[in-house]
Structure formats: structure tokens, C-alpha cells
Amino acid sequence: QVQLVESGGGLVQAGGSLRLSCAASGRTFGLYGMAWFRQAPGKERDFVATISWNGGSTRYGDSSKGRFTISRDNAKNTVSLQMNSLKPEDTAVYYCAAALGNLRLRAADYIYWGQGTQVTVSS
């Protein structure tokens, strides 16, 4: 069992930056591929970024590529998402998720989810 708690969301102006963090419980954090997804009101949950169990590989969604960076610290059981050059269309609830496999892009592949943190980007 892994419990995930996100933090770092908030209100930011377009062009600004935010850093999201996800703290995981449990001693098996390093066995999981981790990811960030986001969901805007009335829309499906979209893939943002994923990182392999050892942090050696990453994948990004088209909307986040070049602006967002995912990282993890297995010693601290945390995964982070650095978001730069934010746009109003980045406004959503951001979720941290864990999967038994690596570099999965589909939400259905993730078995543990956090409660989400709201990110709002004003124009």
C-alpha cells in the first residue's frame, strides 16, 4: 500500500512557475513508476509526465514537454513536478500516481493516487 499526498499548488500568473511535490508513504516507493496527471473541469484526466523507478528515464505529454520537469528522490520518498512558463490552459487539479510498471502513459495503469492539488494560472 502506498499513500500519496500532493502539495505546492496555488494561483500563479501566466509565465510564472510552480513546483509540485508528492510525498509517498511506505518502504517500497522505489519499486514504483511515478507520474503526474491533471484534470480540468469537464475534461478527462490527462497525462503530464512520468518517471521510472530509479529516475533514469522520463516521458512527457505534448502539453508539458519543454516546460515541465519531473524528478524523484527515492531516499526521501518524493516525486516533484517543476512547472515553468505556465499558461492559463495549465489550470487543473494535478494528481500524483504510482504504478507497478515503468513509464506508463495511461491513467488506468496507475494503482495509487493522491487527492490532488489545484493549480490555477491567471492570464
Side-chain angles (χ1 to χ4, degrees):
Q1 185 83 12
V2 175
Q3 292 185 326
L4 305 172
V5 179
E6 302 96 336
S7 62
L11 174 64
V12 63
Q13 288 188 332
S17 299
L18 278 176
R19 185 176 181 86
L20 305 183
S21 293
C22 174
S25 65
R27 291 177 287 180
T28 59
F29 175 73
L31 299 180
Y32 293 89
M34 299 298 297
W36 289 92
F37 288 79
R38 68 187 185 186
Q39 189 166 19
K43 296 189 177 181
E44 294 185 350
R45 191 165 294 190
D46 287 336
F47 168 72
V48 175
T50 184
I51 189 166
S52 60
W53 66 273
N54 65 352
S57 297
T58 58
R59 297 287 187 273
Y60 294 91
D62 289 341
S63 61
S64 54
K65 203 172 298 182
R67 299 186 298 127
F68 295 2
T69 302
I70 189 171
S71 60
R72 69 187 295 164
D73 185 338
N74 286 350
K76 296 182 178 179
N77 280 16
T78 59
V79 60
S80 298
L81 184 70
Q82 177 66 42
M83 304 187 295
N84 298 328
S85 302
L86 283 161
K87 305 174 183 179
E89 50 263 45
D90 294 318
T91 296
V93 177
Y94 283 70
Y95 295 92
C96 173
L100 288 174
N102 271 322
L103 303 178
R104 302 297 174 88
L105 307 186
R106 300 185 313 153
D109 291 328
Y110 288 80
I111 56 175
Y112 299 113
W113 292 83
Q115 83 289 349
T117 186
Q118 176 71 47
V119 171
T120 303
V121 184
S122 63
S123 58

